[in-house]
Amino acid sequence: MAEIAFILLCHKDPAGIVAQALRLTAAGDNIAIHFDARAPKADYDRIRAALADNPRVAFAARRIKCGWGEWSLVEASLLAVRAAYDAFPEATHFYMLSGDCMPIKSAEYVKDFLDRDDLDYVEAFDFFKSDWIKTGIKEERLIYRHWFNERTHKWWFYTSMDLQRRFGLARKIPQGLDIQIGSQWWCLRRSTIGAILSFCDTNPAVIRFFATTWIPDETMFQTLVRHLIPDREIRTRTLTFLMFTDYGMPLTFYNDHYDMLISQDYLFARKISPHAADLKERLGQMYQSRGVRFPISNEGRTLLTFLRDRGRNGRRFAPRFWEAETSLGRERRLTLVVCKKWHVAKRFTDRASEVLGVPRLHYLFNEVGTELPPLGGIETTLEKRERHRRALLRMLFDYYDTRHLMICIDPSNLDLIRDVVADRARVDIIDLECVFDDDYLVGHAQRVGLAGPSTPVETMDRLMPVIRYDFRYESERIRDADFPNFRRLHETNTAEENAEILAELLDIPRDTALEITSMHYLFMD
């Protein structure tokens, strides 16, 4: 059975570090700790005293002052790895953790997972060909020498790099190395760790190269694993679940993330809020449990992005603004059919188009597959359609040679609605108000990737009120906008009641409107 030596890099919360060490070693595993030298010595002494009698705990030979993006993080990692490698000869795997990590599976599950395949788990993507680096410098991380920290000495960092560029001091990458990049949170086999340590001892020039690269904790281990180990023995992934905010900072997990976390296809999660005492307690108890089954739904990234975009009460943080485009024309009429249930809006517009002889288009600003005529390329992507929406609509009026056009709009597109209502054309808004039962909300969450068939009931119970609120909020925003020529057809109305409303809005006979609203399956799911 797998025996793990955890490599713990930490710099705060001595009580939490002690608790983490006791939790992990109680399951029969080991831990090697590096505690940042920038942290108070008293905190370090407190940790050592509390764990002094635990034979499954080792400490790095010395403490390094660590800085984000610096070689010091790799140096600290190597010190802890060497301590673990020497102290725990029975360890089969070495797993990198931070003080903010917590297990999201039981120790039993973790060991079974690692025993299943003889593999290393590390993100190792080609540095130059992948798009792992989203912003900032890329090649410059490697070809120039970095002695200053970009966060603490920004002027020196960029001045040094600029001088090297100006005087042609770019260096070559060590021969034979294909630089890789990925998360620093890896899990490697003992044989791999031994090969890495041996390589470091015999290749000082490579160590000097990485020692002056920028953010080497994302490249050195990743590069050496790919250099030393056959590809068939590497899984290019991390076993630690982590996400980043829009500002590039690690997303923090709180007490209400428990069910979502344990349903992800990962073994640990980073980073847990220091204030999430209940979450830490529950995860700690779960780690010691036996016989627990973990249904994997793995929708965490999509779900958290959805919730983050709306805030914890289900509302968006900020609206999106659109560019203004060409006027549609004073003599033209555009009817917007607004509905969250797209199949209902499509039925309505299809029937209205048939009865009224008005060209119709479905969700052309929401659905990339909406059927559109060729318009010179403006119709090819949602981005182009949204960026030039008035121009697109005008071209559609011209293409169909019509003065009246009907399109479907998702209620989330309030800014688009505002934009076209401000046009000189006549704009009618028909809001099809539907009933959303629990089954529909569950289906919606699965269709858009917020949930899966195995999502825990507890997660769905917390997610569904957010979705329901989001739907209601979008609908109320449109109502509160007080648009002229706005009418709402209700699913709970009779066909006759809806016909009266529709006839008044579109200036058509009541009997004609009834031909549209009397479709018996209009609101059916």
Side-chain angles (χ1 to χ4, degrees), residues 223-239:
T223 299
L224 294 187
V225 171
R226 189 71 80 181
H227 180 71
L228 298 168
I229 306 300
D231 286 350
R232 65 179 181 275
E233 298 179 21
I234 302 171
R235 286 293 178 270
T236 308
R237 60 161 297 186
T238 176
L239 298 179

Side-chain angles (χ1 to χ4, degrees), residues 14-73:
I17 298 306
V18 171
Q20 192 177 37
L22 294 176
R23 180 188 310 113
L24 297 175
T25 56
D29 292 311
N30 316 283
I31 189 168
I33 300 173
H34 178 274
F35 194 69
D36 195 334
R38 296 182 189 276
K41 184 176 183 300
D43 287 349
Y44 178 65
D45 291 341
R46 178 181 170 186
I47 296 171
R48 295 211 62 146
L51 300 173
D53 297 329
N54 192 328
R56 291 189 174 274
V57 177
F59 290 87
R62 68 181 189 278
R63 297 168 64 202
I64 302 294
K65 290 184 178 180
C66 296
W68 185 90
E70 297 178 3
W71 166 253
S72 55
L73 286 176

Side-chain angles (χ1 to χ4, degrees), residues 269-283:
R270 182 181 187 271
K271 63 186 207 175
I272 309 299
S273 168
H275 306 295
D278 181 62
L279 176 60
K280 290 184 176 182
E281 177 67 23
R282 295 180 70 186
L283 291 175

Side-chain angles (χ1 to χ4, degrees), residues 195-347:
I196 290 174
L197 293 177
S198 177
F199 183 91
C200 291
D201 291 339
T202 56
N203 292 272
V206 173
I207 299 303
R208 288 195 298 271
F209 170 80
F210 281 110
T212 51
T213 61
W214 180 233
I215 320 183
D217 54 300
E218 294 180 351
T219 55
M220 196 192 86
F221 281 98
Q222 296 79 352
T223 299
L224 294 187
V225 171
R226 189 71 80 181
H227 180 71
L228 298 168
I229 306 300
D231 286 350
R232 65 179 181 275
E233 298 179 21
I234 302 171
R235 286 293 178 270
T236 308
R237 60 161 297 186
T238 176
L239 298 179
T240 298
F241 181 62
L242 69 161
M243 289 184 63
F244 291 89
T245 69
D246 294 336
Y247 302 99
M249 301 299 292
L251 189 69
T252 301
F253 299 112
Y254 297 93
N255 289 333
D256 57 350
H257 287 131
Y258 176 84
D259 295 299
M260 182 276 296
L261 287 174
I262 66 171
S263 67
Q264 303 310 304
D265 188 21
Y266 295 85
L267 306 182
F268 284 75
R270 182 181 187 271
K271 63 186 207 175
I272 309 299
S273 168
H275 306 295
D278 181 62
L279 176 60
K280 290 184 176 182
E281 177 67 23
R282 295 180 70 186
L283 291 175
Q285 292 177 1
M286 177 273 299
Y287 188 69
Q288 306 297 333
S289 62
R290 300 187 64 82
V292 178
R293 296 186 61 191
F294 295 90
I296 305 299
S297 60
N298 216 35
E299 79 293 344
R301 298 187 187 282
T302 306
L303 173 60
L304 284 168
T305 299
F306 170 81
L307 295 176
R308 184 184 66 204
D309 286 349
R310 285 151 177 81
R312 288 190 166 260
N313 65 347
R315 291 190 58 171
R316 298 180 187 276
F317 286 125
R320 182 176 181 181
F321 294 95
W322 303 87
E323 300 172 357
E325 287 287 356
T326 310
S327 171
L328 304 182
R330 191 185 303 277
E331 74 286 357
R332 287 170 168 167
R333 183 172 194 170
L334 178 67
T335 298
L336 306 180
V337 179
V338 182
C339 188
K340 199 67 182 179
K341 291 186 177 181
W342 290 9
H343 60 280
V344 173
K346 290 177 181 180
R347 288 176 193 154

